[in-house]
C-alpha cells in the first residue's frame, strides 16, 4: 500500500484527485487531501473509501511533520512560495515530492541532497509549465534525432472560453486567477528574433501582437511572455536564431486591453487616495485630462486617439467602466479596482466551458531543406469542475505520480519533464484522455 | 568662536562654503570641510585661514564621533540616506544639524529627542525643497493674513541652461545629476484639480504637459511631479481645490523625451543580455519591431506615429541614437545605456551658465473678488562653480547657519523652513544676492 499526501485542494487539484482516486483500488493507494479549508478537501474526495480529508495550515510545522511522516509521496498544490517548506520536510523524512510549479532557486538548491537521498522532486508538471515542456521536447528530440537543425521556435499558450460559449465583445472569460490576467505583462518581455535580442516595455506589449491560426479554431493574437530567452537552455537549443513564447487571446482583446494599460488602470503599485468615494465613472475620470465640458467618453477617446465607433471603445464601454456604480469595498489600487469592475463581466457562467490552446511552431533545416512544424493542442473543459485548465494542470501531475509509483522513473533529484524518461509515459497516457497534439509539417 | 563641520564637499557645497568663509572673520567661525576625497575638500576651502580640510569616510564611525565632538553645528551635504547616521551622532553629542534634503521618516523620528535636548535639526533648506517652501509660505501667510481663501496652488521648478547658452535642439543641458533626469517621473504623478484627484502613469506623464510663461523668459512646458498631494498638509492649505507641483522644461522637450520612454529606453529595472556587443543603432533596434527591409529610422517613426520631418524625430536623431558607435563599457540597463548616449550631448560646456526657474501660481478669493498671484524667480549661474543650482541649494543653508548662530531661530527639533521665524530672515538675505521673487497679481 502506498500513501499519497496531497496538500492543497484548490481548483487545479480536482481532476488530479479524481484520477488518483479512480485508480486507487487497482494500485492499493491511500490518499490524504489536506487543505486549510477542510470542507473543500472533503468535497474533492466525495467520501471515497481510499481517501481522507484533513484540515491543515501550512504555517503549522508540527502538522506538516506528522502528515509527511505518514506519506510515501507528497504532492504540493499550494501557492509556489510554500513549496520550499514542504520540500525541506520531504528531504528530512526522505519522501518524494511532486508540484506543478516553476522550479524556484530555493527548490533548485535542494537538488544535490535529493539526489544523494534517492528522492525525486518533480516540478513544472502542469500545463504551462508542464505540457509545454513535454510536447516541445518530444518534437525537439525527434527532429534532432533525424539530424534536423533548429532555426526558430515559437510557443504560445492561452486559457480561453470554448467557442460555443464565446459570447462577449472581448471573446474572453476568466478561466483562472483573475489577478494574474489583470497584471499580465507588467515586467515587459524579452525574446530573440532572427539572431537579434528584442525587448518590449509593458506600455507597448499589447500593441506588438502577432496573429496566428490554430487548427480549425480560428485566429488568435499573441503577446510576448516575460522571458523567452531562458528556454534556449532548458530545451538545449542554445544556438537557435529565434525563440519566442507568448500568450493567446482572441483578435481584438490585446488592442482593447492596451487602452486600459495606457490610461494607468492596471497599476498595482499604489493606492488611490479616495477609492471609497469613487464610482466606476469617477475612477476612470481620475486618469483622464479635465473634461472641460466634454463627456468623459469623448475625453477618453481623444486621449487614446480612438473614436466612439471603434471596437476598442465598444469593448471598454461594455465593461461598465463609464457607469455611475460604486466601487466595491476594500479595493484600493487601480488594478484592484479594475479587477473588481471586470471580474463580473468576464465571469465564466455556469455551464460555460473553458478551452486551453497551445501551439508550438518550429522551423528547422534537414538535408538542405527547410521545414515548418506545427504542434497544436486544444483541450475543451468537461464541466465546471473538470475545466480544461484543471484537466491540463492536474492530469500530468496525476500521471507522473502513477508512473513513478509504477517504477517508470529512475531519475532522481530536482527534475522537470524535459527528458524522454519523464515526458514519454506522461504524454502517452494524456493522449487517450483528449490531451494530445496534432502535428502538421510543411516544407517552406 | 564657533566651529562649523561641513560633511560633503560636492557641487552643492561650493557656494555655501564660500559664503561661510567670507563671513568667518566677522563672526569668528572655524570651518572644517570633510569629504571622502580630501583634494575636493581642499579645493573648496582654497587655503583659507579659518578652514581646514579632512579626509572622511561616513562609514567610519570613530572619525564621525571625533569630528562632531569638535563642532558646534554640523552640516550634512552627504547623499540623504546618510543623514540619519549623522543625526544620531548629533543627538548623542548635543549638536545642531543642517541639511538641504527632504525629512525622511528616520529623521522625523528624532524630533522629540532633538526638542528635549534643545537642538535644531533644520532640513529641506536648499532650492527644491527649500526656497520653494519659503517663498510659497511667505505668499500663503501674507494672503491668509488679509483674509484670502485659496482655490488653487501650482508650483513649478526647473534646472535648465541659461538662455544665452541654450543652443541645442532639446533646449536643455544637464545642470545636475544626469541619472535623476533620465529616470524622472517613473513613479507617475498624483495631484488635485478642481477638487478631483488625478493620477498619471509614467507612460503618459510627458504627454500631459501645460505650457506657461515666466516673466520675460519665454515659454516652458511643465510635467507633473510625483506626489503633489502631500503639500496640502505641509503648507496648511488642506481644503484647497487644486494643488499641483511640476517640473519646467522648454517647449518640445517633454514630447521628444516621451518617445524615449515609449520605446522602453528609460527602463532601469533589468540588464540587457548583450549590452557589450551593441552600438547605439543596434541598441535602439532591440526595442523596435523587425525592420523587414526598412531603415530603422522609419521603423522608429512608424512605431511612434511620427514622421522623419518632425521636431521629435530631429531631437532624437541629434542625440546620435541611430549612429553605429559602440555602447560605453559597463552600461547594462536600458537607462544606463541611454544616459551614456545622452550625457555628452546634453553636457554643460565650459563657460555655459545654468538657470533655475521657479514659479508659484496661486488663485484665491478675497472680499468676493478672485485673484491670481504669480510669484516667479529666475537665477542665472555666475560661473562653472557658482552655478545657479549650487547658489540656490547652498545659499539658503549658509544663511540659515548664519542666522542660527546669530540667535535668530528660537524653534527647535526637526524643522523645515515653512514658518516666518525661519523663512523671513533667509529670504531677506537671499534677495540682495539675486535670489528673489517677482510678484505679479491680477484680478480674474
Amino acid at each position: 500500500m502506498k500513501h499519497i499526501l496531497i496538500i492543497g485542494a484548490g481548483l487545479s487539484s480536482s481532476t488530479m484527485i479524481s484520477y488518483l482516486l479512480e485508480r486507487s483500488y487497482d494500485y492499493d493507494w491511500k490518499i490524504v487531501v489536506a487543505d486549510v479549508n477542510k470542507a473543500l478537501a472533503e468535497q474533492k474526495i466525495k467520501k471515497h473509501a481510499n481517501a481522507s480529508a484533513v484540515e491543515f495550515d501550512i504555517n503549522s510545522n508540527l502538522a506538516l511533520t506528522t502528515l509527511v511522516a505518514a506519506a510515501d509521496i507528497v504532492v504540493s498544490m499550494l501557492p509556489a512560495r510554500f513549496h520550499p517548506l514542504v520540500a525541506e520536510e520531504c528531504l528530512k523524512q526522505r519522501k518524494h515530492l511532486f508540484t506543478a510549479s516553476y522550479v524556484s532557486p530555493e527548490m533548485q538548491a535542494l537538488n544535490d541532497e535529493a539526489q544523494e537521498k534517492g528522492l525525486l522532486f518533480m516540478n513544472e508538471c502542469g500545463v504551462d509549465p508542464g505540457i509545454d515542456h513535454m510536447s516541445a521536447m518530444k518534437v525537439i528530440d525527434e527532429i534532432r534525432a533525424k539530424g534536423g537543425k533548429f532555426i526558430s521556435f515559437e510557443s504560445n499558450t492561452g486559457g480561453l472560453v470554448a467557442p460555443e460559449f464565446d459570447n462577449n465583445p472581448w471573446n474572453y472569460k476568466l478561466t483562472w486567477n483573475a489577478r494574474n490576467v489583470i497584471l499580465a505583462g507588467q515586467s515587459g518581455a524579452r525574446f530573440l528574433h532572427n539572431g537579434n535580442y528584442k525587448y518590449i516595455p509593458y506600455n507597448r506589449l499589447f500593441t506588438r501582437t502577432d496573429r496566428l491560426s490554430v487548427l480549425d479554431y480560428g485566429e488568435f493574437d499573441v503577446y510576448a511572455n516575460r522571458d523567452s530567452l531562458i528556454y534556449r537552455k532548458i530545451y538545449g537549443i542554445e544556438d537557435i536564431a529565434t525563440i519566442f513564447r507568448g500568450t493567446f487571446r482572441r483578435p481584438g482583446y490585446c488592442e482593447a486591453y492596451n487602452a486600459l494599460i495606457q490610461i494607468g488602470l492596471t497599476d498595482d503599485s499604489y493606492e488611490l487616495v479616495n477609492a471609497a468615494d469613487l464610482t466606476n465613472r469617477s475612477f476612470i475620470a481620475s486618469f483622464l485630462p479635465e473634461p472641460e465640458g466634454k463627456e468623459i467618453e469623448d475625453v477618453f477617446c481623444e486621449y487614446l486617439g480612438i473614436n466612439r465607433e471603434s471596437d476598442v471603445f465598444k469593448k471598454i464601454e461594455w465593461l461598465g467602466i463609464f457607469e455611475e456604480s460604486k466601487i466595491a469595498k476594500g479595493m484600493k489600487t487601480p488594478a484592484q479596482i479594475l479587477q473588481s469592475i471586470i471580474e463580473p463581466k468576464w465571469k465564466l457562467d455556469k455551464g460555460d466551458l473553458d478551452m486551453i490552446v497551445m501551439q508550438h511552431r518550429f522551423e528547422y533545416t534537414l538535408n538542405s531543406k527547410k521545414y515548418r512544424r506545427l504542434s497544436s493542442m486544444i483541450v475543451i473543459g468537461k464541466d465546471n469542475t473538470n475545466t480544461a485548465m484543471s484537466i491540463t494542470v492536474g492530469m500530468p501531475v496525476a500521471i507522473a505520480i502513477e508512473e513513478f509509483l509504477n517504477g517508470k522513473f529512475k531519475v532522481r533529484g530536482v527534475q522537470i519533464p524535459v527528458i524522454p524518461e519523464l515526458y514519454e509515459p506522461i504524454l502517452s497516457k494524456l493522449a487517450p484522455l483528449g490531451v494530445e497534439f496534432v502535428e502538421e509539417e510543411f516544407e517552406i
Side-chain angles (χ1 to χ4, degrees), chain A:
Chain A
M1 193 200 291
K2 294 286 181 186
H3 286 87
I4 303 171
L5 168 64
I6 297 169
I7 309 176
L11 191 54
S12 56
S13 304
S14 309
T15 310
M16 175 186 64
I17 293 171
S18 305
Y19 183 95
L20 294 173
L21 286 175
E22 274 170 32
R23 283 151 186 79
S24 64
Y25 292 112
D26 293 350
Y27 292 125
D28 198 13
W29 291 339
K30 293 289 177 203
I31 295 166
V32 174
V33 179
D35 196 280
V36 69
N37 175 355
K38 193 179 175 187
L40 190 65
E42 281 169 342
Q43 182 191 319
K44 293 291 158 69
I45 62 172
K46 300 186 195 86
K47 305 194 178 185
H48 196 285
N50 290 331
S52 56
V54 298
E55 187 177 329
F56 167 68
D57 181 349
I58 181 65
N59 299 308
S60 150
N61 269 328
L62 197 64
L64 182 62
T65 304
T66 315
L67 282 172
V68 170
D72 292 295
I73 69 167
V74 178
V75 187
S76 177
M77 300 302 275
L78 294 165
R81 66 181 182 282
F82 294 116
H83 295 333
L85 208 66
V86 178
E88 289 285 0
E89 193 61 40
C90 288
L91 268 187
K92 215 179 290 175
Q93 301 199 38
R94 296 181 176 259
K95 310 290 180 172
H96 307 282
L97 175 66
F98 291 75
T99 88
S101 311
Y102 284 105
V103 172
S104 63
E106 294 82 356
M107 180 67 81
Q108 189 57 50
L110 307 177
N111 179 50
D112 289 354
E113 197 180 340
Q115 274 189 340
E116 271 166 39
K117 292 184 169 171
L119 300 174
L120 175 61
F121 281 14
M122 177 82 151
N123 299 277
E124 306 194 14
C125 209
V127 55
D128 177 5
I131 294 175
D132 56 345
H133 292 332
M134 300 188 248
S135 52
M137 283 312 301
K138 191 178 173 201
V139 176
I140 290 170
D141 286 340
E142 171 211 313
I143 290 173
R144 197 149 37 199
K146 291 195 292 192
K149 192 173 149 35
F150 290 100
I151 306 161
S152 169
F153 174 41
E154 302 184 27
S155 177
N156 302 305
T157 302
L160 297 155
V161 60
E164 203 184 329
F165 310 95
D166 183 349
N167 52 13
N168 75 34
W170 288 77
N171 302 114
Y172 183 78
K173 295 185 185 182
L174 289 163
T175 63
W176 203 240
N177 186 310
R179 185 171 157 81
N180 289 353
V181 175
I182 297 295
L183 301 182
Q186 301 217 342
S187 305
R190 53 172 65 184
F191 56 95
L192 186 68
H193 191 257
N194 294 341
N196 300 312
Y197 289 99
K198 292 285 183 180
Y199 305 89
I200 309 181
Y202 180 48
N203 66 300
R204 283 281 160 174
L205 192 64
F206 286 79
T207 73
R208 295 270 291 269
T209 54
D210 287 327
R211 187 153 298 179
L212 297 174
S213 291
V214 179
L215 302 173
D216 52 354
Y217 283 80
E219 292 193 312
F220 300 86
D221 279 352
V222 168
Y223 67 85
N225 289 353
R226 183 173 183 160
D227 188 358
S228 299
L229 302 177
I230 52 172
Y231 291 86
R232 291 177 297 179
K233 182 142 185 277
I234 293 170
Y235 295 163
I237 43 176
E238 264 113 333
D239 55 355
I240 203 160
T242 294
I243 189 154
F244 176 93
R245 286 177 52 112
T247 297
F248 280 128
R249 292 289 181 261
R250 285 295 187 182
Y253 174 101
C254 293
E255 192 186 356
Y257 199 76
N258 181 54
L260 302 173
I261 295 171
Q262 294 305 316
I263 299 282
L265 303 191
T266 60
D267 198 325
D268 199 46
S269 70
Y270 68 91
E271 297 183 352
L272 297 198
V273 180
N274 60 334
D277 308 327
L278 293 174
T279 62
N280 293 7
R281 192 171 179 83
S282 60
F283 167 63
I284 195 161
S286 302
F287 293 85
L288 297 174
E290 274 305 276
E292 288 166 2
K294 282 176 281 193
E295 268 201 305
I296 68 160
E297 286 86 346
D298 290 322
V299 179
F300 175 90
C301 286
E302 275 175 36
Y303 193 45
L304 292 173
I306 60 175
N307 71 64
R308 280 179 79 157
E309 306 310 313
S310 66
D311 286 344
V312 169
F313 182 76
K314 284 177 189 160
K315 283 188 181 69
I316 303 285
E317 191 176 36
W318 179 84
L319 291 175
I321 225 159
F322 295 104
E323 287 167 16
E324 287 286 13
S325 19
K326 289 288 282 181
I327 296 293
K329 270 196 187 146
M331 303 297 115
K332 290 181 175 168
T333 72
Q336 285 168 354
I337 295 171
L338 180 66
Q339 182 180 332
S340 73
I341 295 171
I342 283 184
E343 230 173 331
K345 293 288 181 171
W346 282 356
K347 203 173 148 284
L348 202 65
D349 283 324
K350 205 165 166 63
D352 282 354
L353 300 180
D354 70 333
M355 169 171 77
I356 299 279
V357 185
M358 186 180 290
Q359 186 180 57
H360 309 300
R361 301 169 76 88
F362 299 92
E363 285 178 23
Y364 68 96
T365 53
L366 178 64
N367 303 327
S368 311
K369 286 180 181 162
K370 202 169 159 188
Y371 298 91
R372 172 171 299 131
R373 169 72 163 269
L374 302 182
S375 205
S376 315
M377 177 194 86
I378 301 268
V379 177
I380 308 278
K382 294 208 170 107
D383 53 49
N384 280 62
T385 306
N386 294 291
T387 64
M389 190 66 93
S390 170
I391 292 168
T392 55
V393 172
M395 216 70 105
V397 186
I399 295 172
I401 293 165
E402 179 183 12
E403 295 299 81
F404 173 75
L405 290 176
N406 285 339
K408 291 269 179 68
F409 302 156
K410 304 300 175 199
V411 74
R412 291 296 182 267
V414 174
Q415 296 290 339
I416 65 173
V418 289
I419 54 173
E421 177 188 331
L422 296 173
Y423 69 68
E424 285 285 11
I426 300 176
L427 288 174
S428 304
K429 290 210 157 176
L430 280 172
L433 302 169
V435 181
E436 63 182 327
F437 283 77
V438 176
E439 307 290 328
E440 301 168 273
E441 191 163 87
F442 326 92
E443 200 180 322
I444 55 175

